[in-house]
Amino acid sequence: MQEQYRTVAREGVHETEINRSRFICALAPAATEGEAQAFVARIRKEHPTATHNCFAYVVGADAAVQKASDDGEPGGTAGVPMLQMLMRREIRYVAAVVTRYYGGVKLGAGGLIRAYGGVVGEALDTLGTVTRKRFRLATVTVDHQRAGKLENDLRATGRQVRDVTYTDTVRIGIGLPDADVDAFRAWLADVTAGTAGLELGGEAYGDA
C-alpha cells in the first residue's frame, strides 16, 4: 500500500471564462469507480445544454483506476489534460467534470489543453486538498473500570479513536502508524498496569 495520498478536501465548483467560453470544473471525492461515474452522471444532468461535459477520475491510492473522456472535443484535448493535472498534483480518489459552454471563439488544440487542465488546477487550489496516511487498525480491550480514563488518555495523546464498543469488556478501535505499534504496546501496558489487550487488524487510510 502507498504510505499516503492526497485527495480533494470537499465537493465544489470553480468557474472561469476563456475567450467567451465558460469552463465550469466540478470536483468531488470518490471512494469507488461507481461513485466517480455517478458524480459524472449527476453533473451531466445538471448541464444538459452544455456544449461538452468532459471528465477524468482517479481511484485508488496507487491510481489503479484512471479514466478520461473528451466528450466530443478533439481527441486528447480535454479529458487527458484533466487527468494529467490530477496525476501531476498526486490527487487520488477524485472525480472531475469540466462543463464547457462554447462562446463562439475556437481555442485550437493547445488552447483547449491549457483550458481544461488549467481549470482543474484552479479548482484544486480553490477547494483545497487533504493528505491521508496509511495506518494500522487495532483494537484495545480493557475492563470497564479503566475504559473511560484510557479513552481520554488516547485522545489526549492524539490517537485516532475510531469506535468504542461496550460488552462484558470495552473494545476501543484505534488507528496506529505501523512504526508506532511497539511503542504504543509499551505505553498501553504502562497506563493500564498490563491489563489491556491489543489486537492488530488490517490497514486503512486516515487524515494526516
Side-chain angles (χ1 to χ4, degrees), residues 34-107:
E35 280 188 21
Q37 291 170 340
F39 177 70
V40 172
R42 173 157 63 85
I43 299 301
R44 280 183 163 160
K45 195 174 286 187
E46 288 175 12
H47 295 279
T49 62
T51 320
H52 306 279
N53 282 293
C54 307
F55 72 81
Y57 58 78
V58 182
V59 178
D62 56 355
V65 178
Q66 301 177 30
K67 292 280 173 63
S69 167
D70 296 315
D71 192 37
E73 291 282 30
T77 62
V80 170
M82 290 167 62
L83 181 61
Q84 287 173 338
M85 179 60 71
L86 295 175
M87 294 299 292
R88 191 179 310 137
R89 296 283 194 94
E90 299 181 344
I91 307 298
R92 306 290 186 261
Y93 292 106
V94 65
V97 183
V98 175
T99 300
R100 182 188 184 191
Y101 287 91
Y102 182 57
V105 179
K106 291 191 174 181
L107 300 182

Side-chain angles (χ1 to χ4, degrees), residues 10 13 22-23 41-42 79 81-82 87 102 113 138 146 148 199:
R10 58 188 172 87
V13 175
R22 289 173 65 203
F23 289 86
R42 173 157 63 85
M82 290 167 62
M87 294 299 292
Y102 182 57
I113 289 168
R146 298 178 192 268
E199 180 186 326

Side-chain angles (χ1 to χ4, degrees), residues 11 17 34 38 55 60 64 80 95-96 126 132 134 136 142 157-158 160-161 167 172 182 192:
E11 182 178 327
E17 186 175 307
F55 72 81
V80 170
T126 301
R132 303 211 187 284
R134 183 168 65 95
R136 171 79 58 183
V142 68
T157 54
Q160 186 184 30
V161 176
T167 54
I172 304 172
D182 290 340
T192 65

Side-chain angles (χ1 to χ4, degrees), residues 7-14 25-29 120-130:
T7 191
V8 65
R10 58 188 172 87
E11 182 178 327
V13 175
H14 172 75
C25 179
L27 286 177
V120 171
E122 290 171 13
L124 289 170
D125 292 339
T126 301
L127 298 175
T129 61
V130 292

